[in-house]
Amino acid sequence: MSLDSIRLEGVTTHNLKSVDVSFPKGQLIVAAGVSGSGKSSLVIDTLFEHSKTLYLGALSSKSLDMGDGDYQFDRIAGTQPPVALRQRDGGWSNPRSTVGTLTGLDGLYRLLFGAGARPVCPACYGPTGADLFCDDCGCFAEPHSAKHFSFNRKEGKCLQCDGIGELVGFSLDKIIPDRSKTLTEIFDGADPGTFAVPNVRKAFEAMAADTGIDLDVPFEKLTPEQTERVLHGHDKIYTLKIRKVTNDFRFEGILGFLDRAWRTASSAARKKAFADYLGREVCPGCNGGRLRPESLKATVAGHTFHDFQSDELSHSIARLRRALDSGDLPAQVRELAAAIVKQSGNIEEVGLGHLQLQRPVATLSGGELQRLLLAQHLASDLTGVMYVLDEPTAGLHEADTGRILTSLRRLRDLGNTVIVIEHDESVIRAADWIVELGPGAGSRGGEIVFEGRFADLLKSGTSPTAAAMRSGAPSRARADLNGADWIEIRGITRNNVTDQTARFPLTALTCVSGVSGAGKSSLVAALHERVARAVGRRRAGAPADSTGVDGADALDDVIYVEQRPMGRSSRSTLVTCIGISDHIRDAFAGSADAAERGLGRADFSPNVAGGRCESCKGLGLAEIEMTLFKSEFIVCPECDGRRFQDHVLQVRLNGRNIHDVLSMTVDDALGWFDADDHPKVVQALRVLAEFGLGYLQLGCSTTTLSGGEAQRLNLAGELLKQRRSRTLFIFDEPTRGLHSADIRHLLALFERLISTGNTVLVIEHNVKVIAIADWVIDLGPGAGRGGGRIVVSGTPEDVAAHPDSVTGRFVRALGEETGPPPPEPDGGGRPGTARDLGVIGELLPRAVTVVAGTARQSEGAGPTPYGLVIGSLTVVSDELALIGFLVRSRSTSWTAIAESGRFCVNILGEDQREVSAAFSQGRPDSRFDALAWTPSANGCPRLPGAVGTIDCSLKSTYRIGDHEFVLATVVNVDMDPGTGRRPLLREDEGDSALDDYGWRRFAREAEAR
């Protein structure tokens, strides 16, 4: 076996069918395939878990059982130390866990302020001298250390909120959201078990009668004195008879009762009764800063610790860089500040520059968390490691995909093997090696259908991924919006979204789009809350209020299907998740065989003693405990994996026992169950089949499902709960985890919902779905504070035509079918096609073209940009997307660029002569100093205003005299020949210096020699 690859043989984990496969080391490898084909089973459940066991076991004999996989294989060889960066691996629910604590940046900032901030006076908070003495107050300040800037240490934390930054209490806005309601309506509508319990209400009514408060007066019409008594009570004692018992009561007020009852609640259930009325407010002691006043007043380079905590990382980086350049930082912390800039820059590089250090980790999406972990490893400089990532582009806008690719390449270039489970087309195209599993999902998959490079993948006749790429974008009949009813929500404000108005049509498909962090989830969460409240008020017969919602009277319900993990219990199965297990048990319990044996519904449950196999407790597997190693599971020898006792298995329903039925696939069960006799079961199975899950067994454990399968099962479960029209369905990124071939099932579901009078609104990044929506609400234009506003709201064509819409550029490119759109700074796009290369061939032979790249990461502030003007460029192969050009062998710039293996070709416009001039003078490493440039999808310098840019990866070079012929693979093309601008043509040597193909004649002469 070659030492250059990781070899797996005979892998039979889950649905894998004795798979043999090799992963080349030191490469960027993508594991592709339809959802449920076995990608995670191979890469994570087998390769990673086995490698983890090997390396943990090497540390100590006590660690030999630390692997937690149920993998099965014949042989694995050549593996490397593994690191898995997963989307959500648990352990992130601690409310004190923030972006700063997770990344370690909090600790660095504490050291920075502990050593670099001068303490302020503890009395007046004014400045102190070198001896820490305050001339105004005559007080000495305590010297700072890192612990004075810790929220968890008594020396630093705010004592009023215990370092949380917020105070939890009852919110009047939640208790009485509608101030136009009368006191009687407020008490009638109170949550059960709260302030409307009989003794409190009787005491309130007695107090109201005694003090002259009219119960039919709206709350907003009460006098200040009456409001005080309603909320905080009255001292008078009233003797009241309640349910034949007479006692003395004092009305302590709505807020007074809630506060006392919540603090004295003895059970979690009792506390939960008050949860809807609780709110959070910023701590008045620290104003959300979480530190004591003295710590909050301390500054470094003119900014406080809380400034760095609350600001976006991209702004903090710029602030520290300016301080380093200007010399505003004390000498003892300059190296520390540079380390903070470097680590924060890694986070910005993966598209998370909009995050704040104080943001709780629990609020991050799975994709954001995984990219945050990725940024940490970029800073670690580990080498010789096997990285495993599960869909790192999940939840990521296409404009940001290029940043992830740059990061993955950096990990690879350090000498690591990077294995990525991915559906994104851009990542698949950029891979050095592709392994595709399939051809189908579940029992129809589990085989290797392709191993090789992307160019060969496109030629494969057995690859579902290649077929999906060749088939192009999906299509659907768009709704006619003429005369449509609309919903409008005004004044939406949440997180970074401020005072926005969202409008979308009913009985249509609306996509909410925008770059990652633009505010999509915030807008939709607020939209859901406002519309649901308006619908709820109408259903309750309450009068309309000024909620800023129009059109909600056309809806009967609102359902928000959020992303959530599937239950991980070994007893959770497909039929229990969709709620048909009881119907199946009832069918068996109602059979003649069951009646004869006296068996009921419970006897057909594997989770209840009586009918199940007691040897394996209904699991079908028996555990074998190992002394040193982790426990192993085998098929239960008592029931032979059938999970039930013999007398239960003897009961037959149309010739099948309970084990036979649970072993059926959804498709088989649809043909077996009668729709008239079992309507609920058939209805649920049809939904699963429509979702493309017909291959799953009814009794399969949900722990074996892939992310895409779990996503669709969650959606199916929600839809089965509501079978009605006039409902607004809101989906949170429903295409996440889905292969392109599986998206058609989702679109078919949307069409069925819309055709029955429902409205569908989705948060979505998939450009192919956005392009066929009826309406698009695009947020941005940037992330964090750079976003939060609706850039454009309209049809996909409106979005494509809008100059400020990042999403629009991708929609426009998809519609034109001319390749990828112009990427945003640091953005990416899809690789060009043969048609794109034809355009290049027409424009470039005589155009002034700058090849730009970067040297490897240095120990300084970052990579150094290099660039040179090449003599000519031509298309070598349309089919293979290859281009070629000549450079001088001793070119310092080319040597620096070639070392990284990737570069960007910039075709200059006729108005960019000064750019061309900049490359004819000065040192190679300083030619970009006077130019504005942004990183391309390849992470290389892109010159704004260029007629076109081509991202390339170096394939090979050939020596021709004093020159090198460079052969490069096109990764991404950004050409816009329709603008009327012309490329800048070379004039220095005229056409006489070129042959018919645009090559300089010395190249031909060198070749002849």
Side-chain angles (χ1 to χ4, degrees), residues 329-373:
L329 288 174
Q332 68 269 23
V333 297
R334 291 182 61 82
E335 186 175 343
L336 188 58
I340 293 175
V341 168
K342 180 181 178 182
Q343 187 165 340
S344 300
N346 288 327
I347 299 174
E348 186 179 36
E349 186 175 319
V350 297
L352 297 176
H354 61 279
L355 292 183
Q356 300 165 319
L357 291 179
Q358 65 184 13
R359 180 167 171 177
V361 172
T363 67
L364 299 177
S365 68
E368 286 176 325
L369 176 60
Q370 185 177 210
R371 281 179 276 149
L372 202 57
L373 298 174

Side-chain angles (χ1 to χ4, degrees), residues 282-578:
V282 176
C283 171
C286 62
N287 198 28
R290 304 174 68 183
L291 297 174
R292 66 178 186 171
E294 302 95 301
S295 299
L296 287 174
K297 295 291 184 179
T299 61
V300 169
H303 295 279
T304 66
F305 189 87
H306 184 58
D307 289 341
F308 288 102
Q309 282 282 315
S310 59
D311 210 350
E312 294 178 8
L313 280 170
S314 57
H315 295 167
S316 296
I317 295 171
R319 183 181 295 147
L320 282 179
R321 281 176 176 157
R322 286 195 299 269
L324 283 168
D325 293 341
S326 63
D328 290 342
L329 288 174
Q332 68 269 23
V333 297
R334 291 182 61 82
E335 186 175 343
L336 188 58
I340 293 175
V341 168
K342 180 181 178 182
Q343 187 165 340
S344 300
N346 288 327
I347 299 174
E348 186 179 36
E349 186 175 319
V350 297
L352 297 176
H354 61 279
L355 292 183
Q356 300 165 319
L357 291 179
Q358 65 184 13
R359 180 167 171 177
V361 172
T363 67
L364 299 177
S365 68
E368 286 176 325
L369 176 60
Q370 185 177 210
R371 281 179 276 149
L372 202 57
L373 298 174
L374 173 61
Q376 288 184 270
H377 282 273
L378 289 173
S380 68
D381 291 339
L382 286 176
T383 184
V385 169
M386 179 183 72
Y387 282 98
V388 174
L389 295 93
D390 185 8
E391 293 189 57
T393 64
L396 197 64
H397 192 277
E398 285 204 38
D400 299 315
T401 302
R403 295 177 173 180
I404 291 295
L405 287 174
T406 298
S407 300
L408 296 178
R409 291 185 180 113
R410 279 185 55 191
L411 287 179
R412 175 201 63 189
D413 293 345
L414 287 170
N416 301 303
T417 303
V418 182
I419 305 176
V420 182
I421 299 172
E422 191 56 80
H423 294 300
D424 187 271
E425 205 171 294
S426 299
V427 180
I428 295 174
R429 288 177 181 268
D432 301 317
W433 193 257
I434 300 167
V435 173
E436 183 177 2
L437 288 98
S443 60
R444 302 171 189 172
E447 303 175 20
I448 302 295
V449 296
F450 176 79
E451 290 181 81
R453 302 191 181 278
F454 177 73
D456 298 320
L457 173 71
L458 291 180
K459 302 175 186 176
S460 172
T462 60
S463 165
T465 299
M469 288 182 176
R470 290 192 295 263
S471 65
S475 61
R476 63 180 285 267
R478 300 255 291 272
D480 184 3
L481 301 183
N482 292 322
D485 293 326
W486 295 76
I487 286 186
E488 182 173 284
I489 306 95
R490 299 180 296 277
I492 298 177
T493 298
R494 177 172 292 197
N495 298 332
N496 67 327
V497 177
T498 305
D499 196 23
Q500 296 296 298
T501 296
R503 181 174 178 266
F504 60 92
L506 292 168
T507 62
L509 171 62
T510 297
C511 284
V512 179
S513 63
V515 298
S516 307
K520 301 182 296 297
S521 296
S522 297
L523 179 101
V524 170
L527 178 151
H528 168 248
E529 184 179 285
R530 298 270 294 278
V531 175
R533 183 188 306 160
V535 172
R537 286 181 57 82
R538 184 179 58 80
R539 288 193 307 192
D545 60 4
S546 56
T547 56
V549 178
D550 294 333
D553 55 347
L555 295 174
D556 291 335
D557 202 359
V558 181
I559 297 174
Y560 195 173
V561 187
E562 298 181 80
Q563 291 278 355
R564 68 179 190 274
M566 181 64 68
R568 306 310 294 174
S569 168
S570 59
R571 295 191 178 276
S572 175
T573 64
L574 184 71
V575 291
T576 60
C577 275
I578 60 174

